[in-house]
């Protein structure tokens, strides 16, 4: 297998607003650690694949489409041969449209696009032969933040590496599901959070200082262990030291499994896009206003920075949603980015959403071979939750869609997507 790789700094300037928390005071005040975008280019059996991974919260689908069109034109790589994923750090610039969670900056996105094209060029220029190494580690860091009866976690760490005959690693693609929110709303320093720390530690500990793409998984319900409901309510971070310790724990799981693994003889390289239209509740204007009243009631009688920002966000959502549902062109559905990538024996199901962790296990139970879900890939349309979460309630079901500026997904869409993926995988 031929492999090429590149990386580039994408850290925004200090003073840029940060994305992910409504409660955060803006703007950023410093840089804790640099944000990077990394590219991985593969060739095998006449097939090619490009995977770009960045230390940002996610990507707007329109931005993904624009980048992929340009890559196809310049590098002759079709959209199904390109993955564009994000770590989902909550301490980076706004690269998706979240209401009152950081102002989307078109100038930064324009510059980001050029940087992603730069690392595409760098990775594709001189790919070199390398042996494929496949491993699976285990990490019990993530906890189900919801604390509901249907609690679920996914401790599997998916790992694919490329190694020269000298023993030096060129690149590593790792996958683990966890929200990178060790740094919460009180943090105003730019940071890649645990994912960035893990990638850096893995690179430092492996021979060859490989480029490491530490991708996220199906983590819609998973947080670091100390980020309990208390931390969620107060917005207080466990701190930089704890963030680095957790990042190092993720790295340890990868390094331990990878150094013990032998070469993999299977050299398959496949990728395909699949069409899936995510269906939303068919709200009327009255339904929107009713839901807005319910959300306003959550801050009834409370005053201060956070309640005011919350009420302002709901007001903006109400205006946008009423305009949407009363538009004669309203469709009440949206394409959800769905892509299946196979590298050797390993399959990655790349989904443009915040998917609950149960998805990976439910797919594994129906499809043979190592399989991992890569979340926040090729876009981010919000939370996608199983039917059990509708019965239990919680932020992911009851209000998150409003901050994404959309409508709630219909009950059963998680299961409908799962069933479609099973047909593809089996």
């Amino acid at each position: 297998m031929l492999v090429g790789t590149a990386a580039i700094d994408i850290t925004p300037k200090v003073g840029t607003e940060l994305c992910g928390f409504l409660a955060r005071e803006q703007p950023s005040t410093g840089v804790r650690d640099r944000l990077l975008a990394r590219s991985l280019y593969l060739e095998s059996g006449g097939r090619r694949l490009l995977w770009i991974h960045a230390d940002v919260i996610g990507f707007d689908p329109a931005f993904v489409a624009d980048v992929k069109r340009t890559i196809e034109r310049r590098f002759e790589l079709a959209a199904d041969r390109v993955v564009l994923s994000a770590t989902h750090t909550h301490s980076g610039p706004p690269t998706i449209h979240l209401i009152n969670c950081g102002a989307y900056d078109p100038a930064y996105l324009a510059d980001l696009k050029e940087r992603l094209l730069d690392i595409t060029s760098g990775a594709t220029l001189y790919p070199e032969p390398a042996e494929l190494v496949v491993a699976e580690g285990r990490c019990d860091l993530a906890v189900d933040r919801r604390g509901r009866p249907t609690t679920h976690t996914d401790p599997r760490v998916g790992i694919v590496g490329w190694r020269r005959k000298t023993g030096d690693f060129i690149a590593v693609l790792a996958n683990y599901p966890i929200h990178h929110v060790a740094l919460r709303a009180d943090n105003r320093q730019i940071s890649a959070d645990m994912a960035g720390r893990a990638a850096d530690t893995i690179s430092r500990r492996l021979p060859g200082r490989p480029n490491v793409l530490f991708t996220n998984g199906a983590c819609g319900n998973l947080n670091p262990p100390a980020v309990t409901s208390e931390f969620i309510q107060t917005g207080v971070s466990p701190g930089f030291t704890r963030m680095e310790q957790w990042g190092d724990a993720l790295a340890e799981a990868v390094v331990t499994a990878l150094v013990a693994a032998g070469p993999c003889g299977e050299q398959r390289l496949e990728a395909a896009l699949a069409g899936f239209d995510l269906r939303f509740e068919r709200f009327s204007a009255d339904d929107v206003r009713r839901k807005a009243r319910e959300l306003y009631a959550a801050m009834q009688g409370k005053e201060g920075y956070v309640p005011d920002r919350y009420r302002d966000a709901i007001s903006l959502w109400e205006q946008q949603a009423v305009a949407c549902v009363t538009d004669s062109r309203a469709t009440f559905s949206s394409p959800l980015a769905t892509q299946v990538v196979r590298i050797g024996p390993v399959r990655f199901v790349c989904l443009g959403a915040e998917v609950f962790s149960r998805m990976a296990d439910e797919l594994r139970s129906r499809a043979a071979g190592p399989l991992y879900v890569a979340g926040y890939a090729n876009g981010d349309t919000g939370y996608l939750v199983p039917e059990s979460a509708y019965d239990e309630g919680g932020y992911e079901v009851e209000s998150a869609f409003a901050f994404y500026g959309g409508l709630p997904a219909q009950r059963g869409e998680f299961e409908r997507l799962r069933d479609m993926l099973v047909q593809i995988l089996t």
Side-chain angles (χ1 to χ4, degrees):
M1 187 173 288
L2 297 178
V3 56
T5 186
I8 197 167
D9 194 316
I10 59 169
T11 310
K13 63 184 179 181
V14 174
T16 296
E17 293 195 354
L18 302 179
C19 190
F21 295 114
L22 178 143
R24 175 183 276 133
E25 291 193 32
Q26 302 283 8
S28 60
T29 58
V31 177
R32 174 67 185 193
D33 50 85
R34 312 299 296 184
L35 307 185
L36 296 179
R38 302 169 171 90
S39 62
L40 173 68
Y41 174 71
L42 305 174
E43 289 185 14
S44 183
R47 297 185 176 182
R48 304 190 294 160
L49 175 73
L50 174 70
W51 194 315
I52 298 174
H53 187 59
D55 293 326
V56 294
I57 193 166
F59 291 109
D60 184 84
F63 177 82
V64 173
D66 182 33
V67 170
K68 287 195 174 190
R69 280 193 302 267
T70 307
I71 288 175
E72 181 168 16
R73 186 172 66 250
R74 293 190 189 180
F75 302 96
E76 298 183 346
L77 278 162
D80 64 337
R81 316 305 298 179
V82 179
V83 182
L84 186 57
S85 61
T87 61
H88 200 56
T89 176
H90 283 45
S91 295
T95 51
I96 57 175
H97 297 277
L98 290 179
I99 296 178
N100 262 20
C101 295
Y104 192 86
D105 182 2
Y108 175 81
L109 270 295
D111 181 66
L112 178 61
K113 175 186 173 182
E114 293 306 312
R115 292 173 187 260
L116 299 185
L117 294 173
D118 285 345
I119 58 172
T120 298
S121 179
T124 57
L125 194 56
Y126 297 115
E128 59 180 301
E131 63 180 14
L132 181 66
V133 182
V134 172
E136 182 174 273
R138 180 184 178 93
C139 184
D140 294 301
L141 183 67
V143 298
D144 192 320
R145 68 188 186 191
R146 289 165 51 78
R148 306 299 169 95
T150 59
T151 184
H152 180 273
T153 61
D154 180 7
R156 301 188 193 212
V157 183
I159 312 157
V160 183
W162 290 266
R163 187 168 54 194
R164 298 183 180 96
K165 290 183 178 180
T166 61
D168 286 348
F169 281 91
I170 303 171
V172 174
L173 175 64
N175 177 271
Y176 181 73
I178 190 169
H179 258 82
H180 291 290
V181 292
L183 305 176
R184 295 197 59 78
D186 62 331
N187 173 57
R188 295 176 65 183
Q189 293 197 53
I190 296 165
S191 173
D193 211 291
M194 299 177 295
R197 175 70 178 193
D200 182 62
T201 301
I202 294 166
S203 182
R204 285 188 286 105
R205 289 189 57 189
L206 288 175
R209 293 294 300 261
N211 197 10
V212 180
L213 284 69
F214 197 94
T215 65
N216 214 326
C219 71
N221 55 310
L222 303 180
N223 269 11
V227 186
T228 61
S229 58
E230 175 187 353
F231 281 106
I232 291 172
Q233 291 168 6
T234 63
V236 176
S237 296
F240 292 116
T241 299
R242 186 70 65 86
M243 178 272 285
E244 292 172 352
Q245 291 171 344
W246 289 338
D248 288 345
L250 295 172
E252 177 65 26
V254 173
V255 172
T256 300
L258 196 55
V259 297
C264 174
E266 187 172 347
Q267 302 293 303
R268 292 176 66 176
L269 186 61
E270 299 174 352
L273 293 171
F276 184 85
D277 282 336
L278 182 64
R279 300 179 301 197
F280 302 112
E281 293 290 349
R282 300 186 68 87
F283 274 16
S284 66
D286 286 342
D287 291 329
V288 171
R289 297 185 183 103
R290 172 187 53 77
K291 185 61 180 179
R293 288 195 297 271
E294 292 176 5
L295 295 174
Y296 284 133
M299 291 293 163
Q300 186 77 25
K302 297 180 181 179
E303 301 297 335
Y305 179 75
V306 175
D308 289 348
R309 284 181 61 82
Y310 179 94
R311 283 188 287 264
D312 183 50
I314 299 306
S315 176
L316 290 170
W317 170 75
E318 182 178 5
Q319 296 172 37
Q320 292 178 16
V322 168
C324 174
V325 302
T326 56
D327 190 325
S328 60
R329 299 166 294 177
T331 60
F332 297 95
S333 68
S334 177
L336 188 150
T338 307
Q339 184 177 21
V340 178
V341 171
R342 181 164 186 155
I343 303 172
V346 183
R347 287 181 289 187
F348 295 93
V349 178
C350 304
L351 301 175
E354 302 205 51
V355 190
F356 272 37
S357 60
R358 195 171 297 276
M359 177 65 79
D361 273 346
E362 293 193 9
L363 293 176
R364 290 174 186 136
S365 69
R366 296 164 172 83
L371 183 151
Y372 309 95
V373 171
Y376 314 101
N378 302 316
D380 183 5
T381 57
Y383 283 91
L384 186 59
V385 309
E387 288 200 47
S388 58
Y390 285 82
D391 297 327
E392 296 172 336
Y395 160 77
E396 303 88 353
V397 179
E398 296 170 350
S399 61
F401 64 86
F403 302 105
Y404 269 95
L407 298 173
Q410 289 185 18
R411 183 184 182 116
E413 288 299 273
F414 178 97
E415 289 75 18
R416 191 168 71 89
L417 174 61
R418 177 203 63 201
D419 293 345
M420 186 201 77
L421 289 168
V422 168
Q423 291 184 343
I424 295 171
L425 295 166
T426 55

